Amino acid sequence: MPSSPSRSCLPSRRNRSAGFTVIELMVVLAIAAVMLGLAAPGFQSLGQQSRSQAWASALVRDIQLARSTAIQTGAPVTLCAAATPSNCAANAISWTGGWVVYQGLAFTAGTSIIVASASADPNAGADTFTSTLAAAAPALTFNRQGYSPAAGAGVMFTFAVGTDPKARNCVVVTAVGIPTTYAAGAATPVGAC
């Protein structure tokens, strides 16, 4: 009768070390790399959408501040495109440099009281920020009642961040001075966002 192998010839569980083999680790790392590669574009899109929403929220906050300051002081407060954080730009079509909120109808460098300002991110790259204000009337002014008669049916500010079409937000200000935020593709009182 053939003899059975003795127990001493078989590897014991105590002699085998616990853990993973190099091959097992390589397979797990390869799967993780593939999954990360598939998820990365989604994270970039999410970041662009978040940045666009943040810009729109900051503008709404400053529009509300301008309106409430005009009501509190009983004097006009104006929002204009920024050339620098403390100076208005001559062109109201491109607001990519940010904006300035100041007391009064006309901005005078060094003497106008600045209520708030926002500067664009210098690393923004492909970010654009435009308005439907005419070049002839490059600012939005709130009167002592908080109205913005120059807005008429509405003025739209559009934030487009990066290349993702979903990373677009619009803020519409009506003649009564109330700002409303719209997402990409939404219908607004002054056209599609």
Side-chain angles (χ1 to χ4, degrees):
M1 176 167 163
S3 68
S4 64
S6 68
R7 289 193 169 268
S8 63
C9 292
L10 295 175
S12 72
R13 291 183 187 251
R14 288 187 186 132
N15 290 342
R16 287 185 14 199
S17 62
F20 300 105
T21 65
V22 172
I23 293 175
E24 290 171 332
L25 286 174
M26 295 298 284
V27 168
V28 169
L29 287 175
I31 291 171
V34 168
M35 291 177 68
L36 185 62
L38 293 174
F43 285 125
Q44 181 180 10
S45 175
L46 186 62
Q48 290 175 350
Q49 291 173 25
S50 176
R51 201 163 69 235
S52 177
Q53 289 169 350
W55 271 110
S57 295
L59 179 63
V60 166
R61 180 196 66 226
D62 285 348
I63 288 171
Q64 290 170 336
L65 176 64
R67 185 172 186 264
S68 66
T69 302
I71 293 168
Q72 288 173 353
T73 62
V77 175
T78 304
L79 172 80
C80 66
T84 66
S86 60
N87 197 4
C88 290
N91 179 4
I93 304 304
S94 175
W95 287 57
T96 305
W99 58 86
V100 176
V101 177
Y102 62 92
Q103 291 181 346
L105 293 172
F107 186 82
T108 305
T111 60
S112 290
I113 298 172
I114 296 175
V115 178
S117 68
S119 298
D121 179 2
N123 301 319
D127 295 1
T128 59
F129 175 27
T130 58
S131 82
T132 57
L133 286 168
L140 188 63
T141 301
F142 296 90
N143 64 22
R144 61 188 175 95
Q145 288 91 17
Y147 297 152
S148 183
V155 171
M156 183 163 51
F157 297 92
T158 304
F159 297 90
V161 176
T163 57
D164 183 4
K166 293 179 185 174
R168 179 191 224 29
N169 282 281
C170 300
V171 175
V172 174
V173 181
T174 61
V176 294
I178 306 291
T180 306
T181 305
Y182 296 91
T188 76
V190 291
C193 175

